[in-house]
């Protein structure tokens, strides 16, 4: 059996055993080496979904829809169902996921375990806010049904709990109504970081979805230049355009990364100068929410050594200065990313003890793995995040220092009381050892 990876293809970790769960499985066999860890569709980055010890439980086979109420917009499904499969079922019936990350290929169990967020956090919060209930299997054979109204703490521990409280078997979700599969999207260019803050504040007051791409290599007066995309679900219309989803595939592993200084500068210049639509236009939900899903195996552009994603959140009072410092460090080092996403979280408190979304600004960038050079850059970025009182995203991490995890997630010790003694991950061992 092929050893599962995380999406960024590092670290390379091989568990003692791999076991596939299906809807016909009767629990987890006792003979499997402990500790256990669930692994869905491998869209997490880093080692939250990997283990060197014990057994990796492949949950993609838990792919059954158990209930769907098209009148109330409530769906219950097993944890291995992907967000794409949910959308294929519910969108034609006038419903949508209240919160969705930048890929629809994640499983619903992974979305809960990482408490993923989307472009509309300022309007609806994170994925956990749409969870009505979930079932948790513990390694002692007990089963816990968790609901947000319970006061046991199991729900808060499992939302954003990185798969450590047990095996999520099914999830009950409340959907949101839509009129059709289309979005009304307005795009505007901004010339620097200062202009972004003004434009973003205005957009968030009017639009449920906002996100910005930025040129992370721009310096001086152009630092942080980019394009802001603001969107909302389209109103009912008599006629709509046709949409046919295409797709491309990177078929081979390259021995080197296609992401380098020359390719980054060329891409960033062309992307920044693309035509914008400040008056708005109709866009199908698929390319708006999931542009990278159109390229199968896009992670291969970084070569066989893989890549890191660095995603942080900075508290509101420190956001402007710290974001400028982060971009200055990245540009000065000549490092950068095709994917450079900047947005602000809202003030809705996350439900999970270890949830990443919180009030502030989040910056996400991908970096080719260049060994010590990349790690030295991250040490500089870590110092800025730490001084600003920020945090890194566990679901996108492969190297976070333990001290930064503990300062960014002050409830980690209270959370550890809910960790199933029969579950663990390489990430948890790394940041709590």
């Amino acid at each position: 059996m092929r050893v599962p990876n995380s999406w960024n293809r590092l670290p390379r970790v091989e568990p003692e055993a791999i076991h596939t769960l299906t809807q016909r499985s009767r629990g987890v066999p006792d003979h499997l080496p402990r500790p256990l860890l669930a692994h869905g569709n491998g869209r997490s980055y880093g080692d939250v979904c990997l283990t060197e010890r014990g057994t990796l439980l492949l949950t993609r086979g838990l792919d059954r829809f158990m209930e769907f109420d098209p009148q109330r917009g409530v769906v219950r499904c097993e944890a291995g169902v992907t967000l794409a499969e949910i959308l294929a079922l519910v969108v034609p019936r006038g419903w949508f996921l209240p919160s969705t990350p930048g890929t629809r290929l994640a499983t619903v169990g992974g979305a809960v375990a990482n408490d993923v967020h989307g472009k509309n956090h300022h309007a609806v919060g994170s994925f956990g806010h749409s969870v009505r209930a979930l079932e948790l299997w513990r390694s002692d054979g007990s089963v816990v049904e968790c609901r947000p109204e319970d006061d046991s703490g199991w729900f808060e521990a499992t939302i954003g709990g990185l798969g450590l409280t047990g095996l999520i078997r099914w999830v009950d979700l409340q959907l949101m109504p839509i009129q059709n599969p289309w979005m009304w999207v307005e795009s505007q260019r901004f010339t620097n970081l200062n202009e972004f803050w003004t434009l973003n504040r205005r957009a968030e007051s009017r639009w449920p979805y906002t996100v910005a791409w930025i040129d992370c290599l721009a310096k001086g007066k152009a630092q942080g230049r980019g394009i802001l995309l603001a969107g909302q679900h389209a109103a009912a219309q008599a006629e709509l355009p046709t949409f046919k989803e295409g797709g491309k595939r990177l078929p081979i592993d390259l021995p080197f990364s296609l992401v380098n200084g020359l390719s980054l500068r060329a891409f960033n210049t062309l992307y920044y100068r693309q035509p914008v639509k400040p008056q708005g236009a109709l866009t199908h939900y698929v390319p708006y929410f999931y542009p990278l899903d159109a390229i199968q195996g896009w992670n291969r552009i970084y070569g066989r050594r893989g890549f890191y994603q660095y995603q942080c959140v900075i508290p509101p009072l420190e956001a402007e200065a710290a974001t400028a410092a982060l971009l200055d460090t990245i540009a000065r080092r000549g490092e950068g990313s095709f994917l450079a996403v900047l947005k602000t979280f809202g003030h809705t408190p996350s439900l999970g003890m270890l949830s990443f979304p919180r009030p502030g600004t989040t910056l996400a960038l991908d970096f080719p793995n260049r060994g010590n050079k990349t790690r030295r850059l991250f040490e500089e970025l870590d110092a800025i995040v730490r001084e600003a009182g920020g945090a890194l995203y566990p679901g996108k991490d492969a190297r976070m220092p333990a001290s930064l995890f503990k300062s960014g997630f002050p409830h980690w010790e209270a959370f550890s009381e809910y960790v199933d003694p029969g579950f663990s991950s390489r990430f948890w061992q790394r940041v709590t050892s």
Side-chain angles (χ1 to χ4, degrees):
M1 181 181 295
R2 182 183 64 86
V3 177
N5 287 323
S6 54
W7 186 244
N8 62 323
R9 312 179 81 188
L10 58 86
R12 306 283 178 158
V13 174
E14 184 169 348
E16 295 177 52
I18 300 172
H19 180 75
T20 300
L21 296 172
T22 70
Q23 58 185 266
R24 293 166 296 280
S25 299
R26 296 180 179 274
V28 178
D30 292 335
H31 69 272
L32 293 175
R34 263 55 171 178
L36 309 167
L37 183 69
H39 182 99
N41 206 29
R43 255 50 189 188
S44 296
Y45 295 57
D47 50 7
V48 293
C49 61
L50 301 176
T51 182
E52 294 167 308
R53 300 163 44 203
T55 303
L56 204 60
L57 301 173
L58 305 186
T59 62
R60 185 65 183 92
L62 300 175
D63 58 358
R64 181 170 57 107
F65 284 94
M66 302 165 69
E67 297 178 23
F68 175 50
D69 185 338
Q71 303 302 316
R72 296 188 301 133
V74 175
V75 63
R76 177 174 292 191
C77 62
E78 292 181 316
V81 173
T82 65
L83 304 185
E85 290 165 341
I86 294 176
L87 292 168
L89 171 69
V90 307
V91 168
R93 294 164 173 81
W95 297 97
F96 201 77
L97 292 166
S99 179
T100 178
T103 177
R104 57 189 165 151
L105 301 179
T107 63
V108 68
V112 170
N114 292 288
D115 195 17
V116 298
H117 57 274
K119 300 175 175 68
N120 61 341
H121 183 274
H122 64 281
V124 303
S126 58
F127 193 87
H129 290 91
S130 64
V131 177
R132 291 160 37 97
L134 60 89
E135 185 181 82
L136 193 64
W137 177 89
R138 301 273 292 176
S139 64
D140 62 4
S142 62
V143 174
V144 182
E145 188 169 313
C146 309
R147 297 180 179 275
E149 60 268 23
D150 297 340
D151 59 5
S152 64
W154 285 111
F155 186 85
E156 291 80 5
T158 302
I159 299 294
L162 309 178
L164 298 171
T165 61
L167 173 67
I168 299 171
R169 297 209 293 196
W170 57 255
V171 180
D172 199 59
L173 294 172
Q174 176 62 62
L175 306 170
M176 63 177 289
I178 57 172
Q179 299 297 319
N180 54 63
W182 291 80
M183 306 291 296
W184 185 259
V185 181
E186 176 185 285
S187 56
Q188 297 187 65
R189 199 178 347 260
F190 51 92
T191 58
N192 54 44
L193 199 54
N194 287 335
E195 191 175 335
F196 162 78
W197 300 115
T198 301
L199 192 63
N200 185 69
R201 280 191 289 269
R202 185 162 61 242
E204 284 194 340
S205 69
R206 298 173 48 228
W207 297 85
Y209 296 97
T210 60
V211 69
W213 168 87
I214 58 170
D215 180 355
C216 58
L217 295 182
K219 298 179 181 179
K221 294 181 179 180
Q223 183 192 61
R225 69 178 184 174
I227 297 173
L228 179 72
L229 297 172
Q232 62 187 16
H233 292 280
Q237 300 182 43
E239 292 187 25
L240 287 166
T242 58
F243 174 75
K244 183 178 181 180
E245 187 173 358
K248 298 180 180 179
R249 181 173 180 269
L250 291 177
I252 60 172
D253 284 330
L254 298 173
F256 54 86
S257 172
L258 294 177
V259 181
N260 54 54
L262 290 175
S263 63
L264 277 171
R265 284 181 172 82
F267 174 87
N268 286 5
T269 298
L270 289 172
Y271 196 90
Y272 177 71
R273 292 177 179 173
Q274 68 175 295
V276 294
K277 298 177 180 178
Q279 303 306 315
L282 280 174
T283 301
H284 195 270
Y285 82 85
V286 169
Y288 177 69
F289 287 107
Y290 315 111
L292 288 178
D293 284 353
I295 307 174
Q296 295 183 41
W298 65 261
N299 53 349
R300 289 176 167 172
I301 69 172
Y302 290 94
R304 294 171 185 164
R305 296 188 70 184
F307 68 100
Y308 293 94
Q309 181 164 125
Y310 194 94
Q311 182 166 5
C312 62
V313 58
I314 306 295
L317 293 179
E318 307 293 335
E320 295 190 18
T323 302
L326 290 167
L327 292 178
D328 180 68
T329 301
I330 292 165
R332 177 166 42 81
R333 283 295 201 95
E335 298 286 339
S337 171
F338 291 140
L339 172 71
V341 175
L342 183 65
K343 76 165 271 84
T344 49
F345 288 140
H347 291 275
T348 302
S350 293
L351 302 179
M353 295 179 183
L354 294 189
S355 290
F356 171 73
R358 66 199 69 183
T361 297
T362 180
L363 175 68
L365 306 100
D366 289 344
F367 296 93
N369 175 21
R370 296 195 174 102
N372 289 334
K373 180 181 179 182
T374 306
R375 286 189 284 272
R376 286 194 296 269
L377 169 65
F378 291 158
E379 289 172 0
E380 290 189 57
L381 301 182
D382 287 349
I384 297 169
V385 172
R386 184 182 292 108
E387 184 176 353
L392 301 186
Y393 190 7
K396 300 286 185 72
D397 175 67
R399 39 67 54 196
M400 185 194 314
S403 60
L404 189 53
F405 168 75
K406 291 173 181 177
S407 65
F409 297 88
H411 301 299
W412 74 272
E413 288 183 290
F415 165 80
S416 65
E417 298 296 319
Y418 292 88
V419 172
D420 189 310
F423 278 74
S424 192
S425 67
R426 188 179 186 274
F427 172 86
W428 188 245
Q429 294 157 15
R430 175 167 59 84
V431 300
T432 61
S433 61

